[in-house]
Amino acid sequence: MAKKYIETERIRLSSGRQIPVLGLGTCAPLQSEEEIIEAVKSALRSGYRHIDCAAIYRNERAVGHALKEAFVMGIVKREDLFITSKLWNTCHKPELVLPSLKKTLDDLGLEYLDLYLMHWPMAYKEGGEMNPLDENGKAISSDVDYIDTWQAMEDCRDMGKTRDIGLSSFNSQQIQRLLDSARIPPVAIQLEVNCYNTNKKLVEFAKSKGLVVVAFSPLGTPSKGAEFQLLQEPVIQEIADSHKKTPAQVAIRYLIQQGLATVPKSVTARRIAENTEVFDFKLTDEEISKLETLNRNYKVYSEKIAVNHKYYPFNADF
Ligand SMILES: NC(=O)C1=CN([C@@H]2O[C@H](COP(=O)(O)OP(=O)(O)OC[C@H]3O[C@@H](n4cnc5c(N)ncnc54)[C@H](OP(=O)(O)O)[C@@H]3O)[C@@H](O)[C@H]2O)C=CC1
Ligand SMILES: O=C1CO[C@H](CO)[C@@H](O)[C@@H]1O
């Protein structure tokens, strides 16, 4: 019988805390509040203890609703959970950081987060749309330096509003620049990593600086009408068949064997459970090499609306 996902599957953060390697993604723009509530409850019942949220997903109240029900029903206790959320780009001004975090906490119905990430190094114009666009459809920048935003995030950690702080989609130069001035170093970074985008140089760089890497879009975001469909690749299917596993389980297992945490998203109870059954088999070195032939440095989240931003992260080599 497949080994149930259990809480020992964790990675130690530089702060000494631990992050469960498997979490539930909640970026679900097409799903209703009811679907999100059911998905989070289903995940908690399946043994997930790590939920990945963000203000920009516009569904933190639904996640909070599910958490509250799970607490009342005794499915899980707050202290057993690892809840991540992310500061959105329109709230990088230092005076907006704490209010943004408080809004997220209020929506989630929590006293504190486990991890608060800066969602992107890029600040957008404050005070209006979450994706403010100019007449050419490009994001309108704000001039805030992510170093100043980080200092406000450090203050949030000092206040106990979040146990740890981290980054998302920063390139190596931006990580280094931030580390050079940080009073509190980031413990983790979310990066797009999957078999289409193994992102090796950046992953190794981040790890060498003491950051745990959390892989987002582990399945290649099939729902986004993506150009390529990772889960339908014959190479993945073949390896899955030989282990009596599914392509999604192989895609997730690949990341775990790279020493990464990951946050596959699903609102389908069967898949939510399926995605946990990844701790009872091991890919061989040969299988890993075969999977890596799929790499084409393909990004689902290239944030093209912000290509002209001063801090656009994808112009650097890595
Ligand atoms: N920091 C950042 O900038 C970013 C962070 N993220 C985070 O990462 C999470 C995951 O990435 P995301 O881009 O959502 O995409 P994923 O790669 O996790 O793919 C999600 C899609 O795969 C489907 N799916 C899930 N499990 C299976 C399965 N076992 N078999 C077949 N299909 C499956 C889901 O369908 P269904 O739901 O219908 O079951 C959904 O359509 C996000 O939800 C978010 O939390 C994502 C992007 C950027
Ligand atoms: O997490 C993410 C998913 O959706 C957002 C857009 O709406 C992205 O900007 C982001 O990186």
Side-chain angles (χ1 to χ4, degrees):
M1 203 177 85
K3 181 166 144 265
K4 186 102 179 144
Y5 170 68
I6 50 165
E7 293 189 41
T8 50
E9 312 283 356
R10 291 176 174 244
I11 303 176
R12 193 174 185 280
L13 300 164
S14 59
S15 62
R17 295 182 187 82
Q18 294 190 325
I19 183 169
V21 296
L22 188 73
L24 180 75
T26 64
C27 176
L30 303 177
Q31 265 87 46
S32 66
E33 291 211 336
E34 289 69 29
E35 284 176 290
I36 297 297
I37 292 168
E38 284 314 309
V40 173
K41 284 185 351 194
S42 168
L44 295 174
R45 279 196 212 96
S46 292
Y48 287 73
R49 293 296 176 262
H50 169 183
I51 313 284
D52 183 60
C53 314
I56 188 68
Y57 303 161
R58 301 170 205 249
N59 59 14
E60 290 191 317
R61 283 172 69 94
V63 175
H65 190 100
L67 294 178
K68 189 172 172 192
E69 278 192 39
F71 295 150
V72 170
M73 290 162 74
I75 298 173
V76 71
K77 296 201 281 279
R78 169 65 186 100
E79 56 270 31
D80 298 330
L81 291 179
F82 190 99
I83 308 290
T84 298
S85 184
K86 314 186 193 84
L87 175 78
W88 187 240
N89 306 354
T90 48
C91 302
H92 275 210
K93 271 198 177 165
E95 63 270 29
L96 296 179
V97 174
L98 180 60
S100 301
L101 175 49
K102 280 186 174 165
K103 164 86 168 69
T104 276
L105 288 173
D106 195 42
D107 286 349
L108 292 170
L110 300 176
E111 296 290 317
Y112 66 92
L113 291 178
D114 295 277
L115 181 60
Y116 198 41
L117 305 178
M118 199 183 319
H119 207 141
W120 289 91
M122 306 175 289
Y124 293 172
K125 180 173 164 273
E126 303 79 11
E129 294 290 311
M130 289 179 101
N131 280 307
L133 300 179
D134 66 16
E135 60 285 3
N136 300 314
K138 294 293 177 218
I140 306 175
S141 303
S142 157
D143 209 20
V144 185
D145 187 331
Y146 53 82
I147 298 289
D148 297 327
T149 309
W150 185 254
Q151 285 172 2
M153 291 178 68
E154 292 175 326
D155 294 342
C156 291
R157 209 213 66 163
D158 288 343
M159 281 177 240
K161 298 285 179 199
T162 181
R163 299 288 194 242
D164 279 306
I165 47 180
L167 308 173
S168 172
S169 295
F170 277 51
N171 67 35
S172 58
Q173 294 160 12
Q174 293 167 333
I175 295 171
Q176 189 59 59
R177 180 167 173 262
L178 186 125
L179 285 173
D180 288 343
S181 71
R183 177 169 61 82
I184 302 173
V187 299
I189 182 164
Q190 279 200 8
L191 298 173
E192 184 169 335
V193 190
N194 56 51
C195 299
Y196 276 154
N197 183 14
T198 54
N199 220 336
K200 289 228 165 189
K201 281 188 187 166
L202 185 52
V203 166
E204 285 317 310
F205 178 83
K207 282 185 181 177
S208 75
K209 300 291 171 179
L211 283 80
V212 167
V213 176
V214 179
F216 70 70
S217 303
L219 310 176
T221 326
S223 56
K224 211 162 179 256
E227 209 175 324
F228 307 106
Q229 290 294 327
L230 181 61
L231 300 184
Q232 288 168 24
E233 288 287 349
V235 175
I236 293 211
Q237 186 66 61
E238 210 175 279
I239 294 173
D241 289 348
S242 73
H243 287 278
K244 297 196 169 46
K245 289 286 173 182
T246 65
Q249 289 167 334
V250 169
I252 295 167
R253 182 70 207 176
Y254 166 76
L255 297 166
I256 293 173
Q257 284 188 218
Q258 305 307 303
L260 313 185
T262 187
V263 288
K265 171 263 173 185
S266 178
V267 292
T268 313
R270 176 182 52 81
R271 290 172 168 173
I272 290 170
E274 175 185 321
N275 295 346
T276 68
E277 314 249 313
V278 289
F279 298 102
D280 59 350
F281 74 112
K282 197 161 183 275
L283 299 167
T284 63
D285 291 347
E286 195 189 338
E287 287 167 335
I288 299 265
S289 301
K290 277 192 190 162
L291 289 171
E292 290 182 343
T293 63
L294 295 171
N295 182 42
R296 55 197 74 183
N297 304 322
Y298 169 72
K299 281 190 190 62
V300 178
Y301 286 96
S302 53
E303 213 64 5
K304 291 253 168 60
I305 59 165
V307 281
N308 301 327
H309 197 288
K310 173 176 164 187
Y311 294 133
Y312 184 68
F314 305 130
N315 290 330
D317 176 25
F318 69 99

